[in-house]
Amino acid sequence: MASINRRNFLRTSAIGVTGAAITANVKASSANSAFSEKEEKKNIITRKLGNTGIVLPIISFGCGRVDSPALIKAALKIGINHFDTAHGYRKGNSEKLLGEVLKEYPRDSYTIATKVKPQETKEEFLKLLDVSLERLQTSYVDILYLHAVKERDVALQKEMVAALKAAKESGKTRHIGISTHRNEPEIIQAAIESNLYEVVLVATNFKQKDHAQIKEKIESAANKGIGIIGMKVMAGAFIDKDKTKPINCKAALKWVLQNENIHSTIPSMINLEQLQENSELLYDFTLTEEEKSDIEKAKLEAGLFCDGCERCIRNCPKNLNIPDFMRAYMYSYGYNEQLKAKELLLSQNAGENPCSDCTFCNVKCIKGFNVGQKIADVNRLISIPDQFLA
Amino acid sequence: MRRTHIISIGTILMINTSFLSANIIFPEIEGWEKSQKTKVFDTESLWEYINGAADYYLNFGFEELEVCEYSVSENKYIKVEVYKHKNPVNAFGIYAYERSPETNYIDIGNEAYLEHSSLNLYTASYYVKIFSHQKDDFTIATIKRLAEEVSKRLEPNPSLPELLTLLPVENKIEKTDIYFPTNYMAYSFLNNVLEAKYKAETKKYKVFIIKNDNEQSSKETIDKYLNAVKQVSEVIPENIIGINDMFNGYIVVSYLGNTIFGISGTEDKEFARKKLTEILAKQ
């Protein structure tokens, strides 16, 4: 049996304690120490959540993946006191965990938002809300969202509007909200027109193709006194499908916070290190030049990056390996690596004009790439002599 | 699109295209029309189907989801979702992440439960979720039958993942095992952890085990923990160390070879020590 003896343990312990003492000022190496020393939470940056009367730290806590009470306690200690969950997260275990931890704290020292998906009837919706309140061990939530709405009709559906109003009138929620991460501009517009929704929880990040339109709607909503909370702020954390190209998440979050109409954000945090890193932004979210550059590069790369899903190939009558052509396009237009692009194009053996047999391109790319045009553009490289290419 | 599935049906078969695999995994059920084609989602597209929940499925080594529908009319249908994960421990992990200890357990696959018209189970590397909006007896009976058939087709002889056999059985509260692939107790360096709740002498506590690659990894993991918590820790006889963790309470840990054993969830230090000593003695 492999084991440890008292002497080894004493040595281990001594190393641990000594190590902690040495690294007390190195934030990443001593999670607890950083939290115990951070007492200046009164100075954290906050914003008013529209006309709700709630003031939130610019970083709140997205609890979709949290499975440790320690994280909730640590967040409260450093001043993050808004927790976002949903009826469906982990089949209710997210709400249960929050309820267990938060019951130890005064109810007015934190705010909770939960979300319930649209149901067929008002009664069904309210029944689910009651289950959520029971799990959360509270008589009310601060924000109740109609969850994951992607169609205007659903946002304004009579039964759900009645359910949300009833929830507020009965005191089960202080405010009514709507959450959306698809078709965002339409949903925000519906919220503006509804005279019902007080808060919009919306996906926002630098990778969104229609970000300009979303930003414009967010501004309109904020001007009307609607509170705006940003989600999906880390833009998926990776640029590519295989997760080999990480995004600078700190920069991505700072990028979102530059918009003052985003009153708070709910990044998902799953360990003390992430919480600590995000908490630094509660005091300063200025983008450094390096971070700005990281975002610009990631934007460019995300815009050119083919996920390689191969769904396009079946639509191509010539069975071209379209992902390879898209990769060549990225080499050429994204990285300026013309020779590498040409090499990849030649390996396709598709000739100078691979699309010559088609008058119309049937290929539909899930990322919206104009595949035919991109192939035509990049394939010109194969007729250019190597000495003229980078 | 060329797609590869590895499905255990006694022998391992390599099946190409989702349509073929659908015929093998999803049975025909009399009186119900099976969808002609299944929907398939991978690590990139999963969020299109389950939104934000995709993050934690991915954390449990999600690889692919195949969805098949059975219907008798437009409003009466059953949906079967088969999530393939990296290994059986991960499949157990995501299953346990969503279950409640107090529910209606039934004997299908490695473990299963039926709540209203929703049945979840795990077997081998698969997490299977079957549900309907209809709650009539006919639909519920079909859900159960589908669960049995699908489970058998995925793995005819399910066995418990080895990690799950390492927790002591005595005093364990049923169905409280949870697997943490990463970030146990909110520490990024505490990974591959199995935890369960226990009750003895009217006191509740938790036991956790961390499986490392080797003994050196066990030592390093404990050292990282000591570094992170900073608080002065105590070395107790019987090779046990006590840690005052600001956010997780009092913890006792020790290790034997590549496995770390620990107790949490009780502030009775003597009791925690005693329980860990008992566990270590039985290894």
Side-chain angles (χ1 to χ4, degrees), chain B residues 191-192 210-214 217-219 221 257-260:
Chain B
N191 302 323
N192 198 21
I210 305 176
K211 197 81 176 166
N212 297 292
D213 292 338
N214 50 47
S217 297
S218 295
K219 287 180 187 172
T221 301
N258 66 349
T259 309
I260 293 173

Side-chain angles (χ1 to χ4, degrees), chain A residues 4 16 90 93 271-273, chain B residues 56 97 183 186 188 227 239 255:
Chain A
I4 47 176
R90 294 174 55 204
N93 287 337
N271 58 45
L272 290 167
E273 290 91 332
Chain B
Y56 56 82
Y97 197 67
N183 299 304
S188 60
N227 272 322
N239 297 335
Y255 72 90

Side-chain angles (χ1 to χ4, degrees), chain A residues 335-346:
Chain A
Y335 305 151
N336 207 24
E337 293 182 29
Q338 321 295 359
L339 275 173
K340 197 172 170 183
K342 182 180 173 183
E343 200 175 301
L344 184 57
L345 291 166
L346 288 171

Side-chain angles (χ1 to χ4, degrees), chain B residues 154-199:
Chain B
L154 291 170
E155 176 53 66
N157 301 303
S159 59
L160 219 53
E162 193 212 340
L163 186 69
L164 269 69
T165 64
L166 298 179
L167 277 172
V169 176
E170 198 183 353
N171 301 323
K172 184 151 81 85
I173 303 173
E174 282 290 293
K175 316 293 185 196
T176 58
D177 326 50
I178 309 175
Y179 174 67
F180 294 82
T182 53
N183 299 304
Y184 182 58
M185 296 196 296
Y187 294 107
S188 60
F189 50 83
L190 295 183
N191 302 323
N192 198 21
V193 183
L194 188 68
E195 177 201 88
K197 291 178 181 168
Y198 287 73
K199 189 175 180 184

Side-chain angles (χ1 to χ4, degrees), chain A residues 242-290:
Chain A
D242 295 329
K243 300 194 171 186
T244 59
K245 297 172 182 294
I247 283 168
N248 181 339
C249 288
K250 196 173 178 181
L253 182 49
K254 283 184 176 183
W255 186 90
V256 170
L257 292 171
Q258 304 308 306
N259 183 350
E260 290 190 358
N261 292 319
I262 307 284
H263 304 133
S264 189
T265 51
I266 51 162
S268 172
M269 294 176 270
I270 54 172
N271 58 45
L272 290 167
E273 290 91 332
Q274 284 183 3
L275 176 62
Q276 190 184 333
E277 182 171 292
N278 287 343
S279 72
E280 289 166 13
L281 275 57
L282 287 167
Y283 300 90
D284 181 9
F285 57 88
T286 312
L287 275 163
T288 64
E289 288 307 312
E290 194 182 342

Side-chain angles (χ1 to χ4, degrees), chain A residues 312 316 320 322-323 325-326 329 355 361-366 368-378:
Chain A
C312 50
C316 175
L320 293 176
I322 295 168
F325 281 95
M326 296 302 103
Y329 189 93
C355 301
C361 184
N362 286 318
V363 172
K364 284 192 171 47
C365 168
I366 57 163
F369 288 172
N370 184 341
V371 168
Q373 187 61 52
K374 284 194 172 203
I375 291 175
D377 288 345
V378 74

